[in-house]
């Protein structure tokens, strides 16, 4: 909500008109950012070196995904930050944002289901609820870690969370 086309043009080094040519409204740009973010996230999770792991190891792939946000102090989890502004977002953005969370939660749910199937753990609630809880916990951990020690702090908290599963 606090950005302008001019801000982006200066950061990217192009003219404002170039952005407007492809994205007439902020809503269009926001939606495309979410589509791109979602595709990249799912592509990372679909890498053969990530899908070939056991369920516990796959949870740590999720940890790495979230922790990567803290590699740069000027980056944030796009979807987490947008979710915080949900009431102010355009419908097209909220739809795309909800779709992202459905995709990531479905992936984590599948990991929880595989872990139960392999007798690595038993979900206290449904696998869907556990996935939703993990995503929510990790989003909160990102915020706290930004203030309390960065990436290593996030990884410690996430490992602690997973050790209790």
């Amino acid at each position: 909500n606090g950005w302008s086309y001019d801000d982006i043009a200066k950061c990217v080094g192009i003219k404002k008109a170039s952005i407007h040519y492809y994205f007439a409204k902020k809503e269009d740009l926001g939606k495309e950012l979410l589509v791109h973010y979602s595709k990249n996230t799912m592509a990372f999770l679909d890498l053969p070196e990530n899908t070939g792991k056991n369920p516990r190891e796959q949870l740590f792939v999720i940890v790495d995904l979230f922790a990567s946000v803290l590699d740069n102090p000027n980056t944030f989890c796009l979807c987490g930050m947008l979710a915080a502004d949900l009431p102010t977002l355009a419908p097209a953005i909220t739809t795309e944002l909800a779709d992202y969370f459905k995709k990531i939660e479905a992936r984590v749910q599948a990991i929880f289901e595989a872990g139960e199937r392999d007798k690595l753990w038993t979900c206290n609630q449904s696998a869907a609820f556990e996935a939703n809880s993990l995503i929510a916990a990790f989003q909160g951990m990102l915020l706290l870690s930004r203030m309390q020690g960065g990436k290593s702090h996030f990884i410690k908290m996430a490992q602690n969370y997973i050790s209790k599963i």
Side-chain angles (χ1 to χ4, degrees), residues 20 74 102:
H20 276 287
N74 295 319
K102 284 178 193 167

Side-chain angles (χ1 to χ4, degrees), residues 43-100:
F44 172 78
L45 295 176
D46 287 337
L47 291 172
E49 61 265 28
N50 294 334
T51 58
K53 297 181 178 198
N54 74 44
R56 186 167 297 283
E57 292 169 330
Q58 287 182 23
L59 285 178
F60 285 103
V61 169
I62 303 294
V63 170
D64 291 342
L65 173 68
F66 276 79
S68 69
V69 170
L70 297 167
D71 284 336
N72 179 334
N74 295 319
T75 60
F76 293 86
C77 174
L78 175 65
C79 294
M81 293 298 98
L82 286 174
D85 278 340
L86 192 66
T88 68
L89 300 177
I93 294 175
T94 60
T95 299
E96 222 36 72
L97 185 60
D99 186 55
Y100 168 81

Side-chain angles (χ1 to χ4, degrees), residues 26 37 41 50 52 66 68 79 85 90-91 104 111 122 136 142 153 163:
K26 281 185 174 183
Y37 192 86
T41 298
N50 294 334
F66 276 79
S68 69
C79 294
D85 278 340
I104 192 82
I111 294 169
T122 301
L142 282 176
H153 187 69
S163 74

